[in-house]
Amino acid sequence: MDQVEIFKALSNKTRLMILQWLKEPELHFLPQDRDVREVGVCVGQIQHKAQLTQSTISEYLSILQRTGLIESTRIGQWTYYKRNEAACLEIRQLIENSI
């Protein structure tokens, strides 16, 4: 886990909000065909909530995924995203123990 890259990813307000929304997706997104806790949230819903372009959201999600903070699942033509809770716990422990 590259600590500098993780903190860079978290330094953007929208990327931070995406992580917060994905913590409790059922509170922040409309119901969808798939279980948001199990599969994740469709990228279109994240884009709609953030009110940014598809390309910007895709870039933000890619950054979060490269750092390991989120995971993606592709089903048909749709990509779903959810938090990687183990990685989020590692960051929390890092902050508590090292910073």
Side-chain angles (χ1 to χ4, degrees), residues 29-91:
F29 298 99
L30 297 173
Q32 52 189 32
D33 294 342
R34 311 222 182 256
D35 179 8
V36 294
R37 284 280 178 194
E38 187 176 320
V39 176
V41 177
C42 178
V43 66
Q45 286 206 41
I46 297 169
Q47 177 193 355
H48 179 73
K49 181 138 179 101
Q51 297 182 344
L52 295 172
T53 64
Q54 169 88 31
S55 61
T56 300
I57 289 300
S58 292
E59 179 184 345
Y60 286 177
L61 292 171
S62 178
I63 290 167
L64 291 170
Q65 190 170 16
R66 275 196 312 271
T67 60
L69 294 170
I70 63 172
E71 303 169 318
S72 68
T73 302
R74 183 133 178 114
I75 301 174
Q77 65 183 19
W78 306 106
T79 303
Y80 298 85
Y81 291 89
K82 66 180 180 178
R83 278 173 40 129
N84 178 345
E85 294 301 333
C88 291
L89 180 59
E90 272 187 64
I91 293 168

Side-chain angles (χ1 to χ4, degrees), residues 5-20:
E5 291 304 313
I6 288 171
F7 287 112
K8 282 182 186 178
L10 296 175
S11 70
N12 177 280
K13 183 178 179 179
T14 302
R15 290 191 296 261
L16 192 55
M17 291 301 300
I18 291 169
L19 277 177
Q20 290 172 342

